[in-house]
Amino acid sequence: MTAFEQFLSTLDERGTFFLMAAVFFLLLSMSVTLLLLVRRALSRRDDRLLETLKETFQEPINTLVMLDGELTADQRRAQLNILTDVTGRSTFARQTLANEMVSLRKSLSGAAATALERTFVDLGLDVFCKSRLHFTSWKVKAKMIQDLTEMNCISREELQKLQNHSHHQTLKEAILIAMIRRDHAYALRFLDGYEGPLSQWMMVNLYQQLSQVHFSHVPDFSKWFGSRSEEVVLFCVRMTQHFRQLGSVDAMVPLLHHTSPRVIAATIQALHDLNAFQVADKVARIADLFYANDTISLQVARFIGRLSNAPAHVRLLEKYLVHPSFEVRHEAVSALMAMPDYGRNRLMAEQVHREPTLYQIIQHTSDPLLR
Amino acid sequence: MIHEIFNQAIFVYAITICGVFLLLLAIALIEMNSYMKKNFFVDYKYILSSPFAPSVSLVAPAYNEGMTIIDNVKSLLSLSYNNNEIIIVNDGSKDDTMAKLIEAFDLVPVPYAWEPVLETAAVRKIYKSRNRAFRKLLVVDKENGGKADALNAGLNLSQKELVACIDVDCIIESDALLKMVKPFMEDHTVIGSGGVVRIANSCVIEEGRLVEVRLPEKLLPRFQVLEYIRAFLLGRLAWSRLNGLLLISGAFGMFKREVALSAGGYNPNTVGEDMELVVRMRRTMREQKKPYRVAYIPDPLCWTEAPSTNQVLGRQRNRWTRGMAETLWTHRALLFNPKYGRMGLISYPYWLFYEWLSPIMEFLGLTYLLFRALTGGVNWDYFFTLVLVIYSFSFFVSMIALLAEQLSFYRYTKRKDTLKMIFLALIEPVWYHPRLVWWSLRGNFDLIRGKRHWGNMVRQGFRKHMEEKMQPEGAMP
Amino acid sequence: MKILICDDDSALVSMIRFKLSRENLGEIIKAADGREARKLIEQERPDLIVTDVHMPFHTGLEIIAYVRQELRLQTPIIILSAEGLEETVLQAFNLGANDFLSKPFSPAELAIRVRRLLQKL
């Protein structure tokens, strides 16, 4: 009997269990360690390779893109060959080249962008990216969709097909965002019966894609003002504001009576940014109704503040000087300060006694560094 | 008989703690995987150029930071974000912090109006820079009131939707704000998001920016690298998946200003103000019956200088233990209270039983063993196997953490670093862990004795080369 | 003529450099971050600066302030940035930028703007 066997025989049930668990974890740890070392070596190799590849690609890409019109067919082919010689070697090289070109494409417009897209196709990278669309991992799919869209290499129909076959929420969103770029009029139809949430993050992405479209082609967002989803309405109000769709002002006015205070606040903000001061009275009329709502009051004060000093509006702003919300008071002071017939002197003479914080706010607003 | 019960209790505790850790580990890996996938193709620059990006105030309290304040503020000013302001709160520094700021940034006092929603020590003056390139900067000079008090002053002054609270001596990665705001944009019920903190010792830092990541040269900070990777990557990530995160590190966290204010801001009467605020915010939301979520970003976004001597580290851990215990005590009503949902039924009990209690249990177990050894009643074979299980298990957890780090962010790129980390994981259970247990016991002991405040360590929490150098390298207390 | 280009996207810098050299606009020097840019401005005194806004160490806006207020130079500065938010544009011009281009941009257009500013010197 060896010492170990003897040791084993003295263990009770619990001891044996412990021993087995320990051996199990040790074996597991060892395999994890091995995996760690292997992965480390691989990443290190990839990093080195990446640097060399980027350097190799730079000059030919520059030549192909910047001298697009000047190169002869032979010269062009020679440059392309330099690249394909390298990319022929590995998927990693192809992916790196595609990444480099896509990232450049995001910064370029005009002839350089077109030349870059053409080069991308000539190098067969569009085919490469499309072949990776059948990857099982949705993150790769989403990335490829993004890249192909950026390089103008995927049609709406193809995206549509992908949309139908994908189930992952984030992937679906990525496809939708890509579709906006390709055919926004079609893609935005998703808003029609949409009731789901539309996060700020989606808004950022949709806006980003839409801002790549020429402003005259951006659709009229007012057609979704009647949507049942609060978030869709909010989105459309914001888009109307940022794309400066002045024609939608009239359609926006009824939203001042929307059931959601968030929509009302956003509407006033949009009307302000669109300089729709002809509807000032309508805005002023809802002010009393929503006096208790800080956000709406703040927006009303901002809106009214931009107008000339009609007595009714001045009275409203004076009411806001004693509003419970500090921000509203602040806004009202700024507004009154900016009025030619009102200004600092009258505020100091007539109003400052009404609310102890007003003096500070007036001082704040007068300081050039704080404006 | 009594021995049997004791044996049994320790056995059950050990088994459940391993089980819970394994479960958390699995959840963390799932969450890590989905986070990496989700952000694989995200272009954060879209947030930078978007008019829809939420506005952010960065609040950084500074106490006697004259050595590094200028570089740190400059690096905060060059963070990639548009709609933000940087609020530096000088918490009554006794050194030249304020003078240096005034000179470097051409500051002048301004009549800044704000609403003192939260009570704080008196604010002396508020400054802005005359240089328009620094228009995001706001400097507050106030009487000393401690870190929580300074943060509250920042919360008062902020006029933005989100407030990021950081330690001014931390090195923040330039895309940190872009990454931190994303969860708020994805889900409007998010009330806070926490970031990972990493150890900056021996890293190359120039003008307040991280230029090269290196493993600390000293052993003690090196252990903390491993400890932080494990805790942040695995511990907190799992809890964020379960929406049960109770702690957002005070070194770097972001909150909805409105919610933080309505919860009452930071509590200046605890040394664990970072954890206490999160618990209170969650509690407030729950009591108001509003849906909420606390998110967590596993990217390493914040780097901090870790204590490199036993003495300073001991004090830090002592304080952490007191902070945790105080928070748990303040919010004891949560324990197993179904009214507070998951927080009451899962997170809180976890913190109580496995974070706060585990060093105590460990200590009790060892004491008991010693007692049995002296009275000759120890089954050494049994003891040996038990220790082996615990050892192999903790090594396994560390290795998984290292692997997760390798597969995700891969910040320690040298081969030597990887080998060193593996070696650390092997010796940690005997070399480093016992110290943690001891400090945590001391923390509990001090708390019972009534040491409630930061003591002589006001705002010296993390870092400080200089001060550490002045302190003798103490042996384990 | 010496032109300084600062941007942390090295592929893009390389492309701009290619284009501007090709147009014989002068010698091109490049900086990958704000700190390097400041150093080069001080040492090399470029005749024109093309800079991004968001860069490590110092923002493009700080670079303008540095050139105009600290060095008191009238070197033409073109801002080339991914974000064309109104506030940033206004702030850049207020600080003394001569031109502002938003990405995506056309390198040909940049070359013409550079040439025009250089001719004024």
Side-chain angles (χ1 to χ4, degrees):
Chain A
M1 226 189 218
T2 62
F4 183 66
E5 278 170 290
Q6 200 174 355
F7 166 70
L8 275 185
S9 66
T10 58
L11 285 178
D12 57 359
E13 241 176 59
R14 197 176 282 177
T16 322
F17 170 72
F18 278 163
L19 193 66
M20 283 178 37
V23 170
F24 172 73
F25 282 124
L26 280 177
L27 284 177
L28 222 54
S29 314
M30 280 189 315
S31 19
V32 172
T33 313
L34 205 67
L35 190 60
L36 177 68
L37 290 172
V38 171
R39 284 301 305 224
R40 210 210 66 85
L42 289 178
S43 335
R44 185 111 182 103
R45 198 203 56 189
D46 285 357
D47 280 3
R48 288 222 188 94
L49 192 57
L50 190 70
E51 283 312 304
T52 356
L53 284 174
K54 279 186 178 173
E55 246 166 67
T56 328
F57 294 150
Q58 230 159 52
E59 203 56 30
I61 295 181
N62 287 348
T63 315
L64 284 164
V65 174
M66 288 293 130
L67 304 181
D68 189 41
E70 301 166 37
L71 293 178
T72 64
D74 283 343
Q75 283 171 326
R76 192 176 154 78
R77 201 166 311 119
Q79 293 293 333
L80 288 172
N81 283 343
I82 302 178
L83 292 172
T84 44
D85 279 352
V86 183
T87 56
R89 282 183 224 147
S90 67
T91 311
F92 184 75
R94 276 192 291 278
Q95 188 59 61
T96 308
L97 181 57
N99 289 348
E100 283 293 286
M101 295 183 78
V102 169
S103 126
L104 268 176
R105 174 66 186 83
K106 284 184 185 168
S107 302
L108 298 177
S109 70
T114 322
L116 195 65
E117 285 169 13
R118 198 155 70 90
T119 313
F120 192 79
V121 175
D122 288 348
L123 288 166
L125 290 172
D126 57 333
V127 179
F128 166 70
C129 287
K130 281 185 184 166
S131 72
R132 300 204 83 193
L133 276 180
H134 305 294
F135 239 67
T136 41
S137 160
W138 64 264
K139 73 167 187 184
V140 177
K141 267 189 204 170
K143 170 101 173 70
M144 291 305 117
I145 288 167
Q146 238 178 30
D147 290 359
L148 285 165
T149 312
E150 197 64 58
M151 298 313 275
N152 220 344
C153 292
I154 192 164
S155 68
R156 193 247 289 170
E157 286 73 22
E158 282 168 288
L159 286 171
Q160 180 75 56
K161 217 188 276 169
L162 285 163
Q163 175 84 298
N164 295 339
H165 288 105
S166 55
H167 306 286
H168 197 283
Q169 186 57 31
T170 316
L171 177 59
K172 279 189 148 180
E173 284 177 10
I175 297 174
L176 178 66
I177 289 162
M179 236 190 300
I180 299 272
R181 184 73 166 274
R182 195 70 315 118
D183 184 351
H184 57 272
Y186 178 84
L188 281 174
R189 273 194 235 156
F190 90 95
L191 289 171
D192 283 349
Y194 191 73
E195 303 214 343
L198 198 62
S199 69
Q200 218 176 339
W201 175 244
M202 271 299 274
M203 242 186 244
V204 165
N205 282 288
L206 294 175
Y207 175 76
Q208 174 69 30
Q209 296 306 324
L210 282 168
S211 56
Q212 307 282 319
V213 176
H214 192 267
F215 73 91
S216 62
H217 294 176
V218 175
D220 178 3
F221 283 97
S222 64
K223 63 177 161 194
W224 292 287
F225 282 170
S227 166
R228 287 228 304 266
S229 155
E230 175 187 338
E231 304 207 16
V232 168
V233 180
L234 264 177
F235 172 72
C236 293
V237 169
R238 293 253 169 93
M239 290 298 144
T240 308
Q241 173 190 345
H242 286 288
F243 287 109
R244 306 201 59 79
Q245 297 183 331
L246 298 169
S248 302
V249 167
D250 290 338
M252 206 181 257
V253 172
L255 292 181
L256 289 173
H257 304 285
H258 200 271
T259 45
S260 151
R262 282 168 73 205
V263 169
I264 298 177
T267 304
I268 304 172
Q269 192 178 0
L271 289 170
H272 170 271
D273 281 18
L274 296 174
N275 296 326
F277 299 115
Q278 67 275 24
V279 298
D281 288 330
K282 290 184 178 125
V283 172
R285 229 170 285 147
I286 64 162
D288 282 335
L289 207 58
F290 290 100
Y291 190 78
N293 184 312
D294 293 354
T295 327
I296 293 182
S297 297
L298 183 71
Q299 293 303 337
V300 174
R302 216 172 130 246
F303 184 92
I304 298 294
R306 283 278 297 274
L307 297 173
S308 65
N309 37 353
H313 298 156
V314 170
R315 269 201 304 281
L316 181 59
L317 287 173
E318 283 178 348
K319 233 158 111 186
Y320 282 142
L321 288 176
V322 290
H323 195 276
S325 154
F326 180 80
E327 274 93 16
V328 175
R329 297 201 293 274
H330 206 294
E331 197 57 57
V333 169
S334 311
L336 289 170
M337 290 272 282
M339 286 188 174
D341 299 348
Y342 209 96
R344 188 188 158 92
N345 291 340
R346 198 165 147 197
L347 265 168
M348 291 295 272
E350 295 175 21
Q351 301 296 336
V352 86
H353 63 274
R354 292 177 65 200
E355 157 62 54
T357 59
L358 283 185
Y359 179 71
Q360 283 167 2
I361 302 177
I362 295 169
Q363 292 294 91
H364 181 125
T365 321
S366 320
D367 195 286
L369 285 180
L370 292 173
R371 250 173 245 153
Chain B
M1 180 56 198
I2 185 100
H3 294 315
E4 193 45 41
I5 293 174
F6 220 92
N7 259 334
Q8 206 65 25
I10 288 175
F11 175 73
V12 169
Y13 189 78
I15 293 286
T16 53
I17 207 167
C18 288
V20 168
F21 279 176
L22 274 182
L23 196 67
L24 287 176
L25 201 61
I27 297 169
L29 292 177
I30 293 170
E31 174 65 11
M32 187 73 176
N33 184 37
S34 73
Y35 177 85
M36 294 305 285
K37 272 186 173 171
K38 204 170 78 178
N39 294 291
F40 174 67
F41 49 88
V42 166
D43 192 344
Y44 287 95
K45 284 202 179 120
Y46 288 174
I47 304 180
L48 194 59
S49 55
S50 178
F52 300 108
S55 55
V56 180
S57 291
L58 216 124
V59 178
Y63 179 75
N64 292 351
E65 309 273 356
M67 291 287 297
T68 53
I69 188 80
I70 303 303
D71 279 351
N72 286 329
V73 174
K74 276 191 180 156
S75 108
L76 292 179
L77 283 166
S78 67
L79 290 181
S80 286
Y81 206 78
N82 254 313
N83 197 354
N84 69 326
E85 62 180 358
I86 315 285
I87 304 180
I88 306 294
V89 186
N90 175 39
D91 192 29
S93 296
K94 293 191 182 72
D95 67 350
D96 54 355
T97 304
M98 201 58 224
K100 280 193 165 162
L101 281 171
I102 292 178
E103 208 220 306
F105 296 101
D106 193 11
L107 299 179
V108 285
V110 286
Y112 193 94
W114 86 99
E115 190 177 32
V117 182
L118 306 170
E119 223 171 275
T120 68
V123 170
R124 295 175 194 145
K125 267 179 188 158
I126 296 170
Y127 296 85
K128 288 278 287 188
S129 171
R130 275 192 296 202
N131 184 343
R132 300 298 268 182
F134 301 130
R135 63 180 298 183
K136 287 179 175 179
L137 181 64
L138 187 70
V139 177
V140 185
D141 186 20
K142 66 182 272 292
E143 304 285 340
N144 181 275
K147 188 179 175 189
D149 193 72
L151 287 168
N152 282 341
L155 276 171
N156 272 339
L157 263 100
S158 159
Q159 293 179 345
K160 311 283 185 191
E161 290 161 63
L162 303 175
V163 180
C165 296
I166 67 157
D167 281 346
V168 77
D169 52 355
C170 280
I171 311 297
I172 307 286
E173 303 250 348
S174 58
D175 54 357
L177 291 180
L178 298 174
K179 288 188 172 158
M180 286 287 268
V181 298
K182 191 172 170 247
F184 291 92
M185 301 174 74
E186 285 172 323
D187 179 353
H188 66 93
T189 64
V190 170
I191 57 169
S193 82
V196 172
V197 177
R198 292 288 181 93
I199 306 291
N201 300 44
S202 305
C203 288
V204 183
I205 290 160
E206 286 168 19
E207 294 184 30
R209 288 190 79 92
L210 186 69
V211 178
E212 190 193 330
V213 177
R214 285 192 192 155
L215 207 55
E217 274 152 25
K218 282 190 174 175
L219 207 51
L220 211 50
R222 210 178 269 177
F223 275 116
Q224 291 173 72
V225 170
L226 183 65
E227 187 194 4
Y228 276 43
I229 289 183
R230 209 173 41 213
F232 282 98
L233 214 61
L234 299 179
R236 303 220 183 137
L237 203 53
W239 284 108
S240 84
R241 175 89 179 194
L242 296 170
N243 192 15
L245 199 65
L246 290 193
L247 173 58
I248 288 179
S249 162
F252 191 30
M254 195 183 263
F255 305 98
K256 258 190 192 149
R257 176 172 178 261
E258 216 182 272
V259 180
L261 284 182
S262 78
Y266 284 95
N267 178 358
N269 298 319
T270 174
V271 288
E273 75 288 329
D274 43 4
M275 179 176 181
E276 208 275 336
L277 177 69
V278 179
V279 175
R280 197 147 30 82
M281 279 171 71
R282 298 187 75 116
R283 217 178 146 170
T284 314
M285 291 303 280
R286 194 78 207 180
E287 280 160 6
Q288 292 172 356
K289 297 205 163 51
K290 287 184 192 152
Y292 71 91
R293 219 164 66 76
V294 177
Y296 180 76
I297 305 295
D299 293 79
L301 298 177
C302 170
W303 299 73
T304 187
E305 197 79 25
S308 57
T309 64
N310 277 304
Q311 210 183 3
V312 182
L313 182 63
R315 277 195 300 212
Q316 183 197 53
R317 294 314 159 97
N318 182 309
R319 183 165 49 78
W320 285 7
T321 305
R322 282 183 282 133
M324 170 168 67
E326 279 175 353
T327 303
L328 290 175
W329 177 250
T330 313
H331 297 281
R332 57 191 178 277
L334 294 177
L335 183 64
F336 294 130
N337 190 339
K339 206 176 102 189
Y340 294 103
R342 259 182 232 188
M343 177 172 45
L345 297 177
I346 307 176
S347 313
Y348 186 94
Y350 167 82
W351 273 85
L352 183 67
F353 293 121
Y354 297 116
E355 294 281 346
W356 176 74
L357 194 63
S358 77
I360 297 173
M361 284 300 276
E362 240 176 274
F363 181 74
L364 283 181
L366 281 172
T367 324
Y368 166 71
L369 188 84
L370 201 69
F371 166 74
R372 294 278 284 170
L374 288 175
T375 55
V378 176
N379 177 351
W380 286 109
D381 292 340
Y382 176 68
F383 170 70
F384 174 71
T385 49
L386 181 67
V387 167
L388 197 66
V389 174
I390 295 171
Y391 178 81
S392 57
F393 182 75
S394 70
F395 180 60
F396 169 71
V397 174
S398 296
M399 290 314 296
I400 290 280
L402 287 180
L403 181 67
E405 153 72 11
Q406 163 74 40
L407 294 179
S408 52
F409 306 115
Y410 182 43
R411 300 307 295 263
Y412 295 96
T413 50
K414 298 196 188 91
R415 174 162 54 197
K416 258 200 201 146
D417 288 349
T418 313
L419 294 176
K420 280 176 192 165
M421 297 286 266
I422 295 173
F423 176 68
L424 285 184
L426 278 170
I427 62 169
E428 195 214 9
V430 285
W431 205 93
Y432 181 66
H433 184 74
R435 296 167 202 238
L436 294 185
V437 172
W438 175 249
W439 288 322
S440 137
L441 282 173
R442 287 285 300 262
N444 280 306
F445 182 67
D446 286 347
L447 184 69
I448 295 164
R449 264 194 349 195
K451 188 176 174 182
R452 288 206 147 260
H453 297 282
W454 291 66
N456 57 351
M457 295 198 42
V458 177
R459 277 294 295 132
Q460 288 180 8
F462 276 124
R463 71 148 245 152
K464 246 164 252 182
H465 269 322
M466 290 310 290
E467 279 164 41
E468 273 172 47
K469 276 181 192 144
M470 283 186 280
Q471 287 150 1
E473 197 93 14
M476 215 177 112
Chain C
M1 289 289 176
K2 218 180 261 174
I3 303 170
L4 171 67
I5 305 170
C6 4
D7 198 312
D8 46 2
D9 181 348
S10 67
L12 188 67
V13 171
S14 146
M15 187 167 270
I16 298 173
R17 180 191 191 156
F18 186 95
K19 177 75 183 170
L20 298 186
S21 309
R22 185 81 198 168
E23 304 256 327
N24 291 322
L25 286 167
E27 182 197 343
I28 315 288
I29 46 179
K30 48 185 185 178
D33 59 54
R35 188 172 56 157
E36 216 183 325
R38 276 178 72 138
K39 210 172 78 198
L40 286 174
I41 292 168
E42 203 184 317
Q43 287 168 1
E44 306 273 333
R45 293 293 159 115
D47 300 290
L48 185 138
I49 300 163
V50 179
T51 177
D52 192 0
V53 172
H54 294 280
M55 292 183 297
F57 294 109
H58 302 286
T59 64
L61 300 177
E62 283 171 51
I63 298 290
I64 311 176
Y66 173 69
V67 172
R68 295 281 185 268
Q69 289 161 28
E70 267 182 65
L71 300 178
R72 307 215 160 267
L73 292 176
Q74 289 311 310
T75 318
I77 301 176
I78 301 178
I79 297 283
L80 178 62
S81 170
E83 56 119 330
L85 293 180
E86 194 180 1
E87 204 188 311
T88 316
V89 180
L90 292 181
Q91 211 191 337
F93 280 120
N94 269 331
L95 284 165
N98 299 66
D99 209 342
F100 197 109
L101 244 82
S102 301
K103 291 179 197 167
F105 73 103
S106 148
E109 186 184 335
L110 175 69
I112 289 175
R113 287 177 191 248
V114 167
R115 183 184 299 280
R116 201 196 47 178
L117 281 170
L118 286 176
Q119 273 164 358
K120 278 191 198 157
L121 288 179

